[in-house]
């Protein structure tokens, strides 16, 4: 797994959800019981955890902002932080799998 592949997976997800308005974020995710916004925020937290692990830093809670419309930007920032941490290939693969799974669930 390469950084470019993770970057591509994140970009595909952002393109899918970047134009959504609040009602779409509040809708329940496909085959699940949580709002789509919660699912994406969970992904953001997972990527932040992988970045913290790669940097040897403690994990921190990613704030849940009041406006769900910022989730695509928050995802981009956290993904960039992960890539900047120069994680091992296993972490990149896990991150890409999480992004892809989230995209499918939406």
């Amino acid at each position: 797994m390469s950084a470019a592949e993770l970057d591509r997976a994140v970009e595909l997800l952002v393109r899918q959800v970047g134009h959504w308005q609040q009602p779409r974020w509040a809708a329940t995710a496909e085959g699940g019981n949580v709002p789509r916004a919660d699912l994406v925020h969970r992904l953001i937290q997972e990527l932040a955890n992988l970045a913290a692990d790669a940097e040897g830093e403690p994990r921190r809670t990613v704030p849940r902002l009041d406006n769900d419309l910022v989730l695509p930007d928050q995802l981009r920032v956290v993904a960039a932080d992960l890539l900047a941490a120069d994680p091992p290939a296993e972490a990149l693969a896990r991150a890409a799998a999480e992004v892809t799974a989230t995209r499918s669930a939406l």
Side-chain angles (χ1 to χ4, degrees):
M1 175 58 57
S2 71
E5 291 169 314
L6 174 58
D7 191 49
R8 175 77 174 139
V10 168
E11 187 57 34
L12 288 171
L13 177 55
V14 167
R15 282 189 208 168
Q16 178 179 342
V17 302
H19 63 281
W20 287 3
Q21 295 299 314
Q22 189 58 43
R24 265 184 113 169
W25 283 111
T28 302
E30 188 75 28
N33 59 357
V34 298
R36 291 170 169 159
D38 290 349
L39 194 62
V40 173
H41 186 264
R42 186 203 59 77
L43 170 64
I44 292 167
Q45 182 64 60
E46 183 60 29
L47 296 183
N49 290 345
L50 290 170
D53 293 348
E55 294 172 336
E57 297 289 331
R59 291 180 172 188
R60 296 177 190 93
T61 302
V62 175
R64 180 63 195 271
L65 303 175
D66 292 335
N67 188 344
D68 292 335
L69 302 180
V70 301
L71 286 167
D73 291 330
Q74 199 174 25
L75 175 61
R76 279 187 177 127
V77 168
V78 172
D81 288 346
L82 173 58
L83 292 172
D86 195 27
E90 301 82 37
L92 288 173
R94 181 174 169 194
E98 290 284 339
V99 171
T100 301
T102 301
R103 187 168 176 247
S104 295
L106 296 175

